[in-house]
Amino acid sequence: MLRTNNLYIGYGRRAVKSDLNLHANARDLICLTGTNGCGKSTLLRTLAGLQKPLKGDITIQGKSVQKLSNYERSTLFSLVLTDSIDTENLTVHDLVALGRFPYTNWAGSLSDTDEAKIAESIHQVNLTHKTHCYLNEISDGEKQRAVIAKALAQDTPLVLLDEPTAHLDLPNRVEIMLLLRRLSVNTQKTFILSTHELDLALQMADKIWLMNPNGVEVGIPEDLMLTGKFQEAFGSHSFQFDENDGHCKINHLVGPLHVNVIGEKPATLWLQRALLRCGIQLSESASITIEAHDGVFRLHNTDVHSIEEILKILMD
Amino acid sequence: MNTLPKNTLLFVGLILLTAALFLLDIAFGSVRLPLEALLSDNPIYHEIIFNFRLPKALTAIITGASISVAGLLMQTLFRNPLAGPYVLGVSSGASLGVAIFLLGSSFLPIAFIQSGWGLVISAILGGVLVLLLVLGISFRVRQAVSLLIVGIMFGQIAGSLVTILQNSSNPDSLKLFVVWTFGSLSAVSWTYMQVMLPLVVVGLLLALTIQKSLNGLLLGENYAQGLGISIVRTRFLIIIAVALLAGTTTAFTGPIAFIGMAVPHLVRGLFRTSDHRITLPGTMLCGASLLLLCDLATQLPADGYTLPINAISALVGAPIIIWIILKKKSNS
């Protein structure tokens, strides 16, 4: 499907990443991730043909991207970018209709096939009820879905998305990722997206392209976790990935106080988090024990009804 | 698609409005004519109507449509609501070209000066020069208001150069130039019309042929490129079209303020769309009507005296700019 051969990317003479040999298959949902400034956007922009590779070659379905005409390129991949679309008086339908650009005649008039494709794309992102709304009347999450619908209407085997979840709140971020997951299964398309959302990427991606200072590590999320590649790439003193569930955990500053927590979940779970946040260490051999039972905490033989109160008692 | 009948109605309305204003503009002038003058074969009436008012009204239509379309093209190209031929200094550049031509060309044969072509070519070159400079700067300065200031500065520089030229030129050509700067729709005789009309028509046709790419550009250049649009080619065609439209009309009528910037906003508001298939013809009609209206207003004092068109068009256009800036502010 998509393949890069000895690809060098960067600006001017400075290569940000060199000698990349990556490939993507049909139906893949690939998350491109890495620290800020590691070259995610550069790679994505290069794949999208928005900037030239310094060296090497990108092929889609065996055809070299650099040799394609603008038209051929626009039928092979579509883009979802971080560029803001602030045009006045543009409806969701108008925006998605622009995705049909490569297929319409010189006047840009829409055929029945085009209209059907537009309606289908809008339906796929669940925006049918907003078809004739103006872009400045809908929320940021809906706007992002509209842009994704535009990419779908362009009817390309490959969709490139640059930080599609940036600037969105958590429910919308999850929604967009689930949407992409569903689309990659239903539409046979390949999705490549850059993202900072490690937790979401780990749970959704078929494959991760993990950018580290030396190059790009490729693999399924679980293998990359298991081999510690993630910790390596995001290597930092301030957090680590939990060995139990793979979620990222912050390394808190620790104080001298030790506490033992016993009892029922989830009360113990949240109590433990609160203690860690305040720099109180957990240890089974500690002299202070807190027991959680029936929504009540027992500390120094008195009942305490909230975690906030426990913290107050311990800190004094 | 329930928006189609509404747009058709609006278009019919605009066409009728333009036609009505066109007839009014012929009927009213600095000399009061009886209504039957239109049909009489009195040679004086005939002279006034066919050799003076008719070309003037036609010029109003052509110029209004041209500078408004030029404004629309520039707003799409710069992705900036405040772009327009007058505001971003294209008209000033054209003025400078005309000034260099009229004031600095005492050694050129008089026939060349009077043919109209020299005027047009120098205005277009001046306009293109400023347009390229502003375009170059627009890559560095994205903010709407900053670009506006840059455009105004270019206008000032061109103005200063014109003043310097004026100081060192002979009185005859100076008079010619000063009259030109007042801006007048009546300066276009049938002879000049033969030069102006074809150039403007080419410019308008060019704008219509690239309307699809213009729609793609609404999303920004990166998205446009993703849709298969050649940015370099489209940008080049836009500049050619703007230069033909704004340069040619400015050469003959003098700079006309703010209409080019204001009309596209009126049209987008009226039709509630940014689709160039609608806004291009809409802008032509709206621009033509607005300039006809301005021309009618210049004749309000009546009896042998008219106001300069530039004064009226600024009076109409400038408040619209203020309104847009205020609207932008409240949005962000």
Side-chain angles (χ1 to χ4, degrees):
Chain A
M1 183 60 232
L2 173 86
R3 189 172 283 281
T4 72
N5 304 314
N6 307 320
L7 183 69
Y8 285 65
I9 56 169
Y11 297 91
R13 281 209 208 133
R14 204 175 67 86
V16 177
K17 283 278 175 293
S18 42
D19 209 11
L20 301 179
N21 293 291
L22 302 164
H23 71 98
N25 299 322
R27 297 182 66 169
D28 271 354
L29 177 63
I30 296 172
C31 284
L32 174 60
T33 188
T35 50
N36 276 338
C38 68
K40 288 193 298 289
S41 289
T42 313
L43 176 56
L44 212 65
R45 286 177 57 87
T46 310
L47 291 178
L50 295 178
Q51 70 184 70
K52 287 200 170 77
L54 300 183
K55 224 171 104 182
D57 186 33
I58 305 166
T59 58
I60 297 183
Q61 294 175 341
K63 285 172 274 190
S64 172
V65 169
Q66 286 98 309
K67 289 182 190 134
L68 296 177
S69 69
N70 286 326
Y71 164 76
E72 288 172 302
R73 217 178 294 171
S74 66
T75 58
L76 287 173
F77 50 77
S78 47
L79 311 177
V80 175
L81 304 171
T82 46
D83 304 19
S84 69
I85 296 174
D86 45 13
T87 313
E88 290 172 82
N89 299 319
L90 203 66
T91 64
V92 171
H93 177 274
D94 294 343
L95 173 66
V96 179
L98 282 173
R100 298 304 296 165
F101 195 95
Y103 309 102
T104 53
N105 61 6
W106 74 272
S109 31
L110 300 167
S111 67
D112 290 346
T113 331
D114 291 325
E115 287 290 357
K117 192 76 204 172
I118 292 165
E120 186 198 337
S121 305
I122 296 177
H123 176 73
Q124 280 174 325
V125 299
N126 298 327
L127 271 184
T128 307
H129 57 296
K130 301 265 174 158
T131 303
H132 295 290
C133 286
Y134 290 95
L135 287 184
N136 52 6
E137 295 168 354
I138 61 177
S139 72
D140 283 349
E142 287 167 336
K143 203 164 164 179
Q144 189 65 303
R145 267 149 58 197
V147 179
I148 292 174
K150 183 217 68 138
L152 295 176
Q154 206 174 327
D155 207 10
T156 56
L158 188 68
V159 183
L160 300 170
L161 308 96
D162 192 9
E163 313 246 350
T165 56
H167 312 303
L168 299 180
D169 58 16
L170 186 63
N172 274 305
R173 290 206 295 264
V174 176
E175 168 121 10
I176 294 280
M177 290 300 275
L178 279 171
L179 172 70
L180 293 175
R181 174 78 268 184
R182 199 171 66 231
L183 290 172
S184 78
V185 174
N186 292 345
T187 62
Q188 312 282 314
K189 292 180 198 292
T190 307
F191 291 84
I192 301 179
L193 59 124
S194 66
T195 181
H196 291 295
E197 304 289 333
L198 284 182
D199 271 6
L200 287 174
L202 285 173
Q203 291 181 62
M204 303 275 192
D206 289 313
K207 216 182 266 173
I208 302 267
W209 290 357
L210 178 65
M211 301 195 88
N212 58 30
N214 309 318
V216 180
E217 293 286 349
V218 177
I220 67 165
E222 293 75 12
D223 276 339
L224 291 175
M225 284 303 285
L226 196 59
T227 49
K229 298 287 188 202
F230 263 100
Q231 189 70 42
E232 222 169 83
F234 288 91
S236 157
H237 302 298
S238 32
F239 73 91
Q240 60 189 18
F241 293 97
D242 190 285
E243 287 163 6
N244 297 321
D245 53 12
H247 291 307
C248 116
K249 276 238 163 80
I250 292 167
N251 293 335
H252 291 286
L253 295 170
V254 286
L257 200 58
H258 286 70
V259 170
N260 184 23
V261 176
I262 51 175
E264 298 162 345
K265 281 185 180 179
T268 53
L269 206 68
W270 291 108
L271 178 60
Q272 283 168 346
R273 272 178 75 130
L275 294 172
L276 286 174
R277 180 162 57 79
C278 296
I280 299 166
Q281 298 183 59
L282 303 169
S283 127
E284 285 178 16
S285 56
S287 54
I288 305 171
T289 299
I290 306 172
E291 193 184 351
H293 184 67
D294 279 341
V296 182
F297 300 101
R298 215 168 159 74
L299 167 66
H300 301 319
N301 293 323
T302 46
D303 282 349
V304 187
H305 294 276
S306 77
I307 298 177
E308 190 177 359
E309 279 175 59
I310 296 178
L311 292 178
K312 220 178 260 170
I313 296 168
L314 290 174
M315 301 293 244
D316 282 340
Chain B
M1 295 307 285
N2 53 1
T3 54
L4 208 74
K6 185 195 137 208
N7 285 347
T8 318
L9 270 179
L10 276 170
F11 271 121
V12 170
L14 276 177
I15 289 170
L16 290 178
L17 180 70
T18 311
L21 287 169
F22 179 68
L23 290 177
L24 278 176
D25 201 37
I26 292 175
F28 292 97
S30 47
V31 180
R32 291 266 151 86
L33 295 182
L35 204 60
E36 59 269 24
L38 282 174
L39 301 168
S40 86
D41 35 342
N42 180 326
I44 297 173
Y45 288 166
H46 187 275
E47 171 69 19
I48 290 178
I49 288 174
F50 284 93
N51 285 338
F52 185 74
R53 291 200 185 163
L54 190 61
K56 186 176 66 132
L58 273 177
T59 306
I61 288 184
I62 295 168
T63 307
S66 299
I67 52 174
S68 305
V69 168
L72 176 65
L73 294 177
M74 289 177 76
Q75 285 172 13
T76 302
L77 175 66
F78 288 109
R79 295 229 296 149
N80 189 322
L82 296 174
Y86 188 81
V87 195
L88 288 191
V90 175
S91 301
S92 313
S95 302
L96 180 60
V98 169
I100 292 173
F101 174 70
L102 285 181
L103 304 176
S105 65
S106 35
F107 48 87
L108 283 176
I110 195 83
F112 183 63
I113 294 181
Q114 282 174 343
S115 72
W117 282 106
L119 207 63
V120 175
I121 292 168
S122 50
I124 289 181
L125 286 180
V128 167
L129 184 72
V130 173
L131 198 60
L132 288 176
L133 282 171
V134 176
L135 187 73
I137 286 176
S138 77
F139 291 125
R140 293 168 169 271
V141 184
R142 278 264 95 130
Q143 273 208 312
V145 178
S146 313
L147 192 63
L148 187 69
I149 293 167
V150 170
I152 293 168
M153 289 305 121
F154 273 127
Q156 292 296 327
I157 293 170
S160 306
L161 292 176
V162 168
T163 313
I164 293 169
L165 272 173
Q166 281 176 335
N167 268 315
S168 55
S169 59
N170 69 60
D172 285 343
S173 43
L174 186 60
K175 190 182 165 222
L176 214 60
F177 179 74
V178 170
V179 169
W180 177 84
T181 54
F182 286 152
S184 165
L185 299 174
S186 49
V188 185
S189 64
W190 285 117
T191 327
Y192 280 170
M193 188 72 83
Q194 286 170 7
V195 179
M196 179 161 123
L197 193 60
L199 287 176
V200 164
V201 167
V202 170
L204 290 176
L205 286 178
L206 191 58
L208 287 172
T209 54
I210 55 174
Q211 49 92 0
K212 189 180 161 190
S213 304
L214 289 171
N215 279 342
L217 274 183
L218 288 176
L219 302 182
E221 297 194 343
N222 285 334
Y223 274 122
Q225 219 168 322
L227 293 172
I229 297 168
S230 163
I231 298 298
V232 180
R233 190 173 141 267
T234 309
R235 203 186 280 150
F236 176 75
L237 290 175
I238 292 177
I239 289 174
I240 297 286
V242 169
L244 278 174
L245 293 169
T248 311
T249 50
T250 308
F252 287 112
T253 63
I256 290 177
F258 302 127
I259 296 286
M261 195 233 76
V263 168
H265 288 280
L266 292 179
V267 172
R268 279 191 289 257
L270 201 60
F271 288 90
R272 285 283 272 151
T273 181
S274 292
D275 186 343
H276 288 82
R277 276 175 295 171
I278 306 285
T279 54
L280 272 174
T283 301
M284 288 179 202
L285 287 170
C286 229
S289 327
L290 197 62
L291 204 59
L292 280 170
L293 201 66
C294 287
D295 188 43
L296 278 167
T298 62
Q299 283 145 11
L300 280 181
D303 294 329
Y305 182 73
T306 56
L307 298 168
I309 185 88
N310 217 352
I312 302 292
S313 68
L315 215 54
V316 175
I320 297 180
I321 298 191
I322 297 172
W323 171 66
I324 290 162
I325 291 182
L326 289 178
K327 207 179 90 177
K328 279 264 146 190
K329 259 258 152 64
S330 64
N331 275 355
S332 55

